[in-house]
Amino acid sequence: MYVHNMYINTACHQYRVCFLCCTYVFVHNFTMSEFYEAQTKIKQNYRLPRTIDSRQEIFSNSDARDRHRKLYLFRDMIGASVNLALRDKSCCMDTSFLNRFLYAKKFDCEAALDLLIKYLLYKENNKHILQKLSIFDENIQTSLRDGNPSVLKQRDRKGRKVLTFAAANWDTNKYSMEDVFRALLLSFDKLLENVENQALGFVVIVDWTNFTYKQSTHISAKTLKLMIEGLQDCMPVKFKGIHFIGQPWYVDVVLRVIKPFLNEKIKRRLLVHGTNLTTLHSMVSKDILPPDLGGEGPAINTLDWYHYLLESSQNCESRKSYRLIEATVYSKTADWHKQDSGCEAKKIESNETLIENINQIS
């Protein structure tokens, strides 16, 4: 539209004439050099992906009434449902929990109800994985400390949270692929407490660099099936991008095996970059990525996300049967502190650093 604008100078004022709408707009003290500078900035910004300010489109006041109306309708549908998966109606009063499913399905109440039923059935049918899903599970703790997963402190330009996996850090002697999946579910359950994450979704980056063939033999086909079923069809998680980098040939083989079981949307959003990080950076800005991923952001401290989950567990309310996360009250006793004051003291950050990390992540 800018080619249709012309500026007319008078003795003390300047006017912008728009030939598209045959109107003129008064502009005070606007020099031509400032005009060209503004035009350059507009063109540069136009080429960039939408920034986090785009969340205003999602959370605009004009849509607030419609969202509230859909929420009440969704509650009524749950209350009226005779599906056995919904025999416990306690989730009806948890607005944040219900919004997870509404945002995941763009406030289509019928689709959200179907997803909620699938979620509850998946939770019921896979108790061996999902029961006692807690930050105090030792195997989950080890997985998180190894960076599987970690959560970047900054969001991408579209406001989405970015999760990373360091596959080479997986110690197959200490924890299984199932434990990594449990750590991921725990992370998603916590992140989905934030309405921005519910609405804007997530980007996942898996770094397979230095992942060995011996490690790959511990990839369980059964767990892969459960992961695909759960994350793709049953969890209220919006995957906006799944990126594989540095993958060896045996990971490519696994990927070819599982691809037929992925739906079309996930297939489109699963991108394999290999060693070409340029294509990754064209989709996820370098300024938020750590150096290990070719970025210019801060290095990942794998303890940050672990500490955040540990600290936030102290604020858990009473256990909610429909949630994945197990509510456990955590407190540091004198005996605990005395026991771990030796070699473990080196691993524990100061309270100030921990609180700062927590605030940056949240």
Side-chain angles (χ1 to χ4, degrees):
M1 61 182 249
Y2 303 108
V3 296
H4 298 283
N5 292 335
M6 182 178 75
Y7 283 75
I8 300 175
N9 292 304
T10 65
C12 58
H13 304 299
Q14 186 180 69
Y15 296 87
R16 185 182 67 195
V17 181
C18 178
F19 295 111
L20 287 179
C21 56
C22 299
T23 60
Y24 65 88
V25 180
F26 170 67
V27 183
H28 180 62
N29 293 333
F30 193 96
T31 65
M32 292 305 292
S33 61
E34 289 172 335
F35 166 70
Y36 287 120
E37 183 181 352
Q39 293 291 82
T40 302
K41 288 181 179 178
I42 289 170
K43 290 177 182 177
Q44 288 174 344
N45 289 335
Y46 181 76
R47 295 190 189 101
L48 292 173
R50 290 190 308 167
T51 66
I52 195 169
D53 292 335
S54 64
R55 60 189 171 186
Q56 293 177 358
E57 300 173 17
I58 297 173
F59 303 113
S60 62
N61 291 331
S62 60
D63 296 330
R65 289 184 180 179
D66 187 56
R67 289 199 303 272
H68 284 302
R69 183 178 62 82
K70 293 288 182 66
L71 175 62
Y72 293 137
L73 176 59
F74 190 36
R75 279 176 174 161
D76 290 341
M77 292 172 68
I78 295 171
S81 175
V82 294
N83 193 298
L84 290 177
L86 288 169
R87 57 187 176 272
D88 179 6
K89 310 291 185 181
S90 58
C91 66
C92 287
M93 302 311 297
D94 191 337
T95 300
S96 177
F97 179 75
L98 296 184
N99 274 333
R100 300 181 182 199
F101 299 89
L102 288 170
Y103 275 112
K105 294 301 180 181
K106 299 180 179 179
F107 280 81
D108 180 334
C109 291
E110 290 187 4
L113 182 64
D114 183 55
L115 179 60
L116 175 59
I117 291 171
K118 288 180 178 177
Y119 163 88
L120 292 171
L121 288 174
Y122 183 83
K123 187 173 179 293
E124 181 70 23
N125 295 333
N126 296 285
K127 289 182 177 179
H128 62 289
I129 290 180
L130 301 178
Q131 67 179 356
K132 296 183 179 179
L133 194 65
S134 165
I135 184 59
F136 301 103
D137 183 292
E138 291 184 7
N139 291 343
I140 289 179
Q141 287 186 350
T142 308
S143 180
L144 290 167
R145 287 196 293 263
D146 283 349
N148 292 310
S150 291
V151 180
L152 298 189
K153 295 176 183 178
Q154 292 179 287
R155 297 175 181 270
D156 73 358
R157 284 177 175 164
K158 295 185 179 180
R160 304 170 300 198
K161 272 295 187 182
V162 180
L163 286 77
T164 64
F165 285 85
N169 290 352
W170 177 22
D171 189 338
T172 56
N173 295 319
K174 293 183 179 179
Y175 57 97
S176 67
M177 184 177 178
E178 188 175 286
D179 295 317
V180 177
F181 181 39
R182 282 161 54 80
L184 176 62
L185 290 176
L186 180 72
S187 299
F188 275 137
D189 197 59
K190 176 56 66 176
L191 287 166
L192 285 171
E193 292 177 358
N194 186 315
V195 68
E196 288 185 35
N197 296 334
Q198 296 171 5
L200 300 174
F202 301 91
V203 172
V204 178
I205 302 174
V206 184
D207 184 2
W208 296 98
T209 306
N210 298 325
F211 183 72
T212 65
Y213 181 80
K214 183 178 179 181
Q215 286 174 305
S216 73
T217 60
H218 292 269
I219 295 177
S220 164
K222 182 180 178 181
T223 304
L224 271 178
K225 180 178 179 296
L226 285 174
M227 290 178 69
I228 293 171
E229 179 189 355
L231 297 174
Q232 176 178 265
D233 302 320
C234 303
M235 296 295 159
V237 179
K238 296 169 73 171
F239 290 102
K240 295 300 185 177
I242 304 172
H243 303 274
F244 283 8
I245 65 169
Q247 75 285 350
W249 65 268
Y250 34 88
V251 172
D252 283 328
V253 171
V254 174
L255 187 57
R256 283 197 293 270
V257 171
I258 66 172
K259 247 188 174 179
F261 301 98
L262 304 177
N263 61 36
E264 290 304 315
K265 182 184 288 187
I266 295 296
K267 283 180 183 178
R268 289 195 304 270
R269 295 177 179 177
L270 175 58
L271 302 171
V272 180
H273 303 277
T275 56
N276 182 14
L277 296 183
T278 304
T279 54
L280 172 66
H281 299 156
S282 66
M283 297 176 183
V284 185
S285 176
K286 291 174 67 174
D287 57 2
I288 70 165
L289 293 176
D292 289 348
L293 300 178
E296 300 166 353
I300 293 176
N301 182 347
T302 58
L303 293 178
D304 284 350
W305 181 239
Y306 163 68
H307 281 154
Y308 174 75
L309 290 173
L310 195 64
E311 187 74 14
S312 62
S313 68
Q314 299 183 65
N315 303 321
C316 282
E317 302 172 4
S318 58
R319 186 177 186 278
K320 299 174 180 178
S321 60
Y322 48 85
R323 286 280 300 273
L324 292 181
I325 195 168
E326 179 86 12
T328 309
V329 178
Y330 168 67
S331 61
K332 295 181 180 179
T333 63
D335 291 338
W336 178 90
H337 182 74
K338 187 176 179 180
Q339 255 185 351
D340 294 327
S341 60
C343 62
E344 286 295 319
K346 297 178 182 179
K347 299 180 182 179
I348 300 175
E349 299 177 0
S350 68
N351 288 338
E352 290 183 3
T353 305
L354 179 57
I355 292 171
E356 181 182 350
N357 290 338
I358 289 168
N359 290 335
Q360 286 177 325
I361 293 173
S362 59

